[in-house]
Amino acid sequence: MSKCLSLFFALPLLFAAPLNAQTSTYQISAGAGYAQSGYYKLADGTSQQVAYDDWDLAFSNLGINDVGIFFNESTASSMGQATPAIEVYDPFVFDFSENINSGDLTDDQLLYNPEVSWAEGAFNTVKDTLNPLDHGWGAFNDFTQMIEGYRVFVIKLRNGQYRKIIFDTYDGSAYTFRVADLDGSNEQSHTVNNNFGNGSPVVYFSFANGTNVTTPTGWDLVFCRYITPLFDGTGYLPHPVTGILVSDGIQTAKATGVDPASVDYHDYLDSLKTRLDVIGHDWKVLSGFNWSVPDDVAYFVKKPNGDLYKLVFIAFAGSGTGTGTLEQTYLGQLSSAPDLPAGIQEVLVYPNPVAEKLSVSFVAERSAAASLRLFNANGQLVWEGNAHVQTGLNVLEISNLPALSAGSYFLNVKLPNGQFSRTVMVGR
């Protein structure tokens, strides 16, 4: 049985993409005229397309304490002009029976989704930030143990119809709300149930179809239309853009002015953010009538399970097809989990699955001797070796592995003050 361990150390500025990391080319699309949203999965580069007008409202589906309510800011674009959009107003009304005049609505009453997290939408932005019980559209009632709505909003639908809306309650499993014409006529009641753990950060609602709306699940990125402040030369004004938002728990960092082929992810780990729009809309640039993609930008995307990817956009076709092309590299599984020994951080095992060579990188606060052992699913030792760990970044390459059957294995790294293990998939 081979016990060869080839070891090398690299400074962060010299460390490039992992050896044998797989780079694939995929496409993500918002459809012709940006009439769709593309829900993209990093694991296999596949997308699910949903028409932009399939839903009107979205409700947080993260847990019982997250009560964000969003509206659909997406609009198609025809000959450079956006089609009619949904608008939401806060007319500062607190009685649902009060008549509201559409002529009294003003632009400074318009609300927008913050694009910060899936726990706060446009209807939450009017909350009293000094009151932890206030969620904007409603406040927590300690007696009923529910969030109860107290504020009336106006929603202008895509067909130009104005409706007033109040979100009556949220009991930890379902939202109830009422809508009516501005004079109180044609009142309707609706209920939207949570579906925690289904792989979607929100649950969709359509006024046309009720709750019978396709809610994509298991996605990581969505390429869609949304509204964001853009500088017009004198100030910032809300403007519809076509960009990429991330799902809940996804962390993203942007690397600019770099060589995308060799940029080191270690330099950007402390820049990872959960904000939804780190990739956003400016990965492409419009010059006259043509789109271009900067060649010195890369994005690092970390999933909640630690899977780390590098994304490099290489083309965008514009509204003709709404399609962007990207190169995606799976870097491995990065972990700073509590099971790590003191002084060890940022563990990454790659490539995973492995064929012939396996590497493990981590940052150590002090030098020490380490032993590495690889076990099969039955707990049998199939490979072992020793290494000397130095202070800082360590990249250990395990070469000349024995012939291994495809399946699940466990790599154990033992240090004087503790040990950690990571799952390794072997594929042939």
Side-chain angles (χ1 to χ4, degrees):
M1 179 182 298
S2 172
K3 296 184 179 181
C4 175
L5 173 67
S6 174
L7 172 64
F8 64 91
F9 299 94
L11 296 174
L13 290 177
L14 300 178
F15 182 74
L19 294 177
N20 301 323
Q22 297 298 310
T23 298
S24 302
T25 301
Y26 297 116
Q27 292 186 324
I28 185 169
S29 181
Y34 311 131
Q36 297 175 324
S37 296
Y39 295 82
Y40 180 87
K41 295 183 179 182
L42 289 164
D44 56 11
T46 60
S47 297
Q48 179 179 350
Q49 309 302 123
V50 174
Y52 80 94
D53 56 358
D54 267 12
W55 61 277
D56 301 307
L57 301 176
F59 298 81
S60 287
N61 190 46
L62 307 175
I64 61 174
N65 295 318
D66 295 307
V67 292
I69 302 180
F70 306 76
F71 76 98
N72 190 348
E73 295 177 332
S74 296
T75 58
S77 179
S78 177
M79 302 299 291
Q81 299 297 316
T83 55
I86 295 176
E87 296 176 354
V88 171
Y89 297 82
D90 173 23
F92 211 68
V93 172
F94 303 92
D95 183 352
F96 193 64
S97 65
E98 181 177 335
N99 291 347
I100 301 174
N101 186 345
S102 62
D104 294 334
L105 301 174
T106 60
D107 286 349
D108 60 1
Q109 296 173 343
L110 285 167
L111 302 179
Y112 302 98
N113 299 322
E115 267 77 51
V116 173
S117 82
W118 294 110
E120 181 169 312
F123 295 95
N124 305 93
T125 58
V126 293
K127 68 182 179 182
D128 179 359
T129 56
L130 299 179
N131 180 3
L133 301 181
D134 186 23
H135 297 276
W137 60 264
F140 182 75
N141 184 322
D142 190 56
F143 179 75
T144 63
Q145 292 293 295
M146 294 193 298
I147 298 174
E148 299 178 350
Y150 66 86
R151 188 184 294 264
V152 180
F153 301 90
V154 171
I155 184 167
K156 182 183 178 183
L157 302 177
R158 300 184 195 277
N159 63 6
Q161 181 185 18
Y162 288 90
R163 302 274 277 168
K164 60 182 177 181
I165 184 170
I166 186 169
F167 302 96
D168 291 306
T169 61
Y170 176 68
D171 63 2
S173 63
Y175 302 84
T176 63
F177 59 99
R178 287 173 289 156
V179 293
D181 293 341
L182 298 187
D183 61 3
S185 61
N186 195 24
E187 181 176 321
Q188 299 171 320
S189 297
H190 300 280
T191 299
V192 172
N193 295 305
N194 284 120
N195 190 4
F196 299 136
N198 75 332
S200 173
V202 290
V203 178
Y204 289 146
F205 174 85
S206 165
F207 286 105
N209 303 314
T211 56
N212 185 23
V213 179
T214 299
T215 302
T217 60
W219 55 274
D220 302 300
L221 313 176
V222 56
F223 190 26
C224 63
R225 295 273 281 178
Y226 61 93
I227 296 174
T228 195
L230 294 181
F231 189 67
D232 69 347
T234 59
Y236 285 87
L237 294 174
H239 190 81
V241 297
T242 307
I244 293 176
L245 306 177
V246 300
S247 187
D248 180 60
I250 300 288
Q251 298 181 56
T252 315
K254 181 179 181 179
T256 59
V258 300
D259 176 3
S262 61
V263 59
D264 177 8
Y265 75 88
H266 286 90
D267 296 335
Y268 297 91
L269 291 180
D270 59 356
S271 300
L272 288 167
K273 299 180 178 66
T274 57
R275 186 180 172 94
L276 306 184
D277 62 352
V278 172
I279 297 178
H281 64 93
D282 58 357
W283 55 269
K284 50 190 170 36
V285 179
L286 181 63
S287 300
F289 296 99
N290 298 313
W291 288 96
S292 61
V293 176
D295 60 5
D296 62 348
V297 177
Y299 299 89
F300 295 104
V301 181
K302 180 185 175 186
K303 297 183 62 172
N305 68 353
D307 282 345
L308 186 67
Y309 295 83
K310 179 175 68 174
L311 305 183
V312 179
F313 293 92
I314 57 176
F316 180 59
S319 62
T321 64
T323 299
T325 304
L326 63 119
E327 293 180 341
Q328 175 177 301
T329 305
Y330 177 58
L331 300 178
Q333 192 168 64
L334 180 68
S335 175
S336 297
D339 67 328
L340 294 177
I344 299 297
Q345 301 176 15
E346 301 170 9
V347 172
L348 181 64
V349 177
Y350 56 87
N352 202 356
V354 63
E356 297 178 354
K357 292 183 180 180
L358 178 66
S359 296
V360 54
S361 73
F362 53 87
V363 174
E365 292 183 358
R366 62 185 65 88
S367 61
S371 64
L372 291 83
R373 295 178 295 171
L374 188 66
F375 298 90
N376 64 19
N378 295 321
Q380 298 169 319
L381 180 68
V382 298
W383 179 91
E384 63 181 340
N386 297 308
H388 179 72
V389 173
Q390 295 184 349
T391 301
L393 174 65
N394 293 264
V395 183
L396 313 182
E397 181 185 292
I398 302 169
S399 60
N400 298 325
L401 285 171
L404 299 173
S405 301
S408 179
Y409 294 76
F410 301 92
L411 177 68
N412 176 267
V413 179
K414 187 175 182 179
L415 298 151
N417 63 334
Q419 59 186 325
F420 63 89
S421 298
R422 290 294 178 267
T423 301
V424 176
M425 299 303 298
V426 172
R428 290 292 180 183

